[in-house]
Amino acid sequence: MHTMTSEIDDKRMAQRRDEADLIARCIAGEPAAQEQLYRTHNRAVAANLYRVMGDNRDLDDLVQEVFVIAFRGLPKFRKEARLSTWIYRICVNVALGRIRTKTRKPPPILKADPVGEDRRSGVGLSPETPEALLVREENKQKVYRLLDKLTPKKRMVLYLHEIEGHDLKEISYLVDANPVTVRTRLYYARKEFYKLLAEENEDAI
Amino acid sequence: MKHIPAHRLADLVAGNWNSHSAAKAREHIKNCSHCLGAMKRIEVGRQAMGEIASADSPELGWDHIATRIYWSTSSERRASEREEPSAWRFGGRKILRNGFVAAGACCALVVAAYMGLYPSSADEAEQLAASPAVQVEADTSKGVSEPMLEPAKPVAENLQGVITFAGAEVVMNGAALDFDSLVRQGSRFSTGEGELVVQFGLHNSFRLAPQSTLWLQSFDSQSVVLDVVGRIDIDIEKRGAGQEFVVVAGEQRVVVHGTAFRVDFRETRLDVSCTRGKVVVSDGQEQVNVPAGQRFGIIDSEWQDVALRALPIRADRLALLDAEMAMPTLAVWNPGNPLESSSVLQVKSAGEQEVALDGIALASGDFLVRTSSGRHQIARVNSDGSVADGNWYDVEAGQQVSTSLAMSLPKAVDKSRRARAIRKRELKQAINARGKVSRCLAPLEKQGLMAGAYVDFEIGMNSDGTQRYLNIVGSNLSPVIQRCLRTAVSAETLAVGGSAEFSLHLAF
């Protein structure tokens, strides 16, 4: 048991060393290191942004923005968190900025995409009808529509807590706010969001 | 019995109630159709939220994004290498204080390289080096190349501009405007109620809006740097190699290569709209591309709080902007003597009567317009936009002809009053629809202190639906709530319509 724990610790230490080395090479401006960092985190960054925003319009621009900020900020990275967490924090802030400034665009035309949907949700083996898939997609869009009605800060805190499942301490790091503030914000956000959800027309959700 | 609050129902769905309370709640829900319906909707919603949490990334053009990131970061690196050591910080951002011209030139170069307008051999090599596989090849070619000879710099020739339009109260170099004087480097303008249009080439002109000031910091064939406070519309042809065109708006620079665009910079707010071509807004460190049909705005120089991207302009606003940016210019241009073969028409039309020159609506009030010699028609524009029959005037080169048009004052007043009423109604509807105002007042409402609360606004609305100004002139609310209300109201943008100034009283 003890051997197994120490093996995990060793592995973790090695990962940290690799990460520190990668960061140092990125700061030195080594293109290969930057490429490696990008390739390691690009999908996670895109997935995070996709989940926060609810659609993939301008997603490539947002991914670019996150990495540009990350490369620019690497010299200031204090290693108080994992690199992935730090990049996730940048994602949150970029998304927050985007939500603040985004104009009210009409929602994308919904389409049933059984193959894509199955791939994403991992339910490829369950025989779902296109209608059921469409209803599920509509329900997700409605959640985003209700999230849109919250202020950006409340929306983000609610998203991180209710959808991503982060605790208050993690959220306070991600949104750079006091945990007490986060707790208050989350309280009002939940109250507002679930009230909206509960008041949706019966046939709407 | 009271209904269970929705967020508590969500907790129940998530299993966060103790078993005793949960059993009691479920008993209530069984007999309460309201709570039952709410619970079902929350369950479905939470299920959807669970699916959102497991959503994976869509496939993107990863290599393309990588290249863009490389270019963004390397452009910054090149720019920072060019920065002087005396860089200083303002508003949390490092910018250069000295030498807007020099910085502008660097910026223009960087922007040009970024836009792929002037791909130098070094840039091309760097572009190739974005892929590690070809880096060696690029480096090898660099290693054997001979030192590059710096190309001879083209000689900068001073530009001359002519004033082609001037409304009332335009001041040039601290004195009343002399319409026949030439515009040169160092010229300064300030406009009162009227506008000013300057042409400096066959296809180059700018218009300074009312209540704006302009200083031509640099005005030669290689560098045009305009320092503006207020609004300026610019329509220029594509710049040649090494030529720069920069509009300085406070701490920001708008770098342009050949385009039609508008810069609106008042107090702490900068708004850049582009109708043709492409411009780049930069504070020396950040930069944002604003392509045709998009706009970019910042408030209080707070770049860090905005997503660094331009947003599309709505089609109707774009059409209006395009129409507004049309400028009266000369069809023939003689660089040696720009005033040659032009003549001046002085039009006096009291009040808001709009006047058309040769069938095209031009302006209202008193103004001077420069035109080519020949026969011209001056006519009134009717309220429906049609042009009435006007008078014909024959003007010769160098001649100035004056005319005055009668106007119908009551009509103008009616139009303005109607516009005020419509705009006021539209704004109220927009405010009510969004519900932002009620959110600002939520703390007061909670404490039961709403009765008698009020706020009085003074609002100037542009014809494109944006707000020209917004002031709180009276309120018995706390400054925090006032600020919140002001933000909520200022966020409202109306549809295209009449320009109006009005006061709005909101009582709660």
Side-chain angles (χ1 to χ4, degrees), chain A residues 31 35 38-39 42-43 46-47 50-51 56 58-65 67-68 71-72 97-98 100-101 103 120 136 139-140 143-144 149 151 162-163 187-188 190-195 197-198 200-202 205, chain B residues 6-7 10-11 37-38 41-42 44-46 48-49 51-63 65-66 68-70 72-73 76-77 93 114 129-130 132 135 285-286 305-309 311 434 439 446:
Chain A
E35 172 106 13
Y38 168 74
R39 299 282 173 200
N42 58 351
R43 283 176 193 278
Y50 176 64
R51 287 197 295 267
N56 58 3
D58 304 331
L59 198 57
D60 47 356
D61 288 348
L62 292 175
V63 172
Q64 177 190 352
E65 198 171 335
F67 279 101
V68 168
F71 286 132
R72 197 189 300 150
R98 179 76 182 104
R100 277 183 185 139
T101 55
T103 49
R120 270 182 241 133
R136 285 199 318 162
N139 286 341
K140 282 197 266 181
V143 168
Y144 281 113
K149 291 184 180 172
T151 60
E162 299 290 291
I163 296 178
Y187 171 75
Y188 286 108
R190 289 187 81 240
K191 209 171 159 186
E192 206 175 321
F193 175 77
Y194 285 116
K195 190 163 181 273
L197 188 60
E200 277 272 320
N201 293 333
E202 208 158 340
I205 252 192
Chain B
H7 64 288
D11 286 336
R41 287 189 285 275
I42 288 169
V44 176
R46 283 193 63 91
M49 287 156 78
E51 284 171 16
I52 290 169
S54 61
D56 206 353
S57 158
E59 274 307 312
L60 300 175
W62 303 116
D63 294 340
I65 298 171
R68 281 161 54 185
I69 294 166
Y70 175 81
S72 295
T73 49
E76 276 174 9
R77 202 163 48 238
R93 297 258 166 212
Y114 178 77
Q135 194 175 9
Q285 187 149 357
E286 306 285 4
D305 282 351
V306 297
L308 295 179
R309 62 176 57 248
L311 295 172
R434 290 239 192 169
R439 280 208 284 276
K446 210 170 156 189

Side-chain angles (χ1 to χ4, degrees), chain B residues 404-448:
Chain B
S404 59
L405 292 177
M407 60 153 292
S408 55
L409 191 64
K411 265 189 179 174
V413 170
D414 280 344
K415 190 179 164 188
S416 143
R417 193 174 291 165
R418 198 169 60 245
R420 270 206 302 271
I422 292 169
R423 285 314 211 180
K424 201 169 177 174
R425 193 175 61 237
E426 285 176 347
L427 185 61
K428 270 189 174 174
Q429 282 171 353
I431 292 169
N432 290 337
R434 290 239 192 169
K436 277 190 179 172
V437 165
S438 55
R439 280 208 284 276
C440 293
L441 295 161
L444 275 188
E445 199 173 8
K446 210 170 156 189
Q447 297 168 51

Side-chain angles (χ1 to χ4, degrees), chain B residues 105-174:
Chain B
C106 291
C107 198
L109 202 64
V110 171
V111 168
Y114 178 77
M115 289 157 67
L117 295 170
Y118 305 118
S120 65
S121 58
D123 291 334
E124 279 166 3
E126 268 188 288
Q127 196 168 15
L128 286 170
S131 158
V134 292
Q135 194 175 9
V136 177
E137 197 179 315
D139 286 344
T140 313
S141 68
K142 266 193 210 171
V144 295
S145 64
E146 289 179 6
M148 282 173 66
L149 287 173
E150 198 176 319
K153 285 182 184 170
V155 181
E157 290 174 16
N158 286 331
L159 289 177
Q160 295 189 119
V162 294
I163 302 162
T164 57
F165 179 91
E169 299 174 22
V170 176
V171 173
M172 180 179 179
N173 299 330

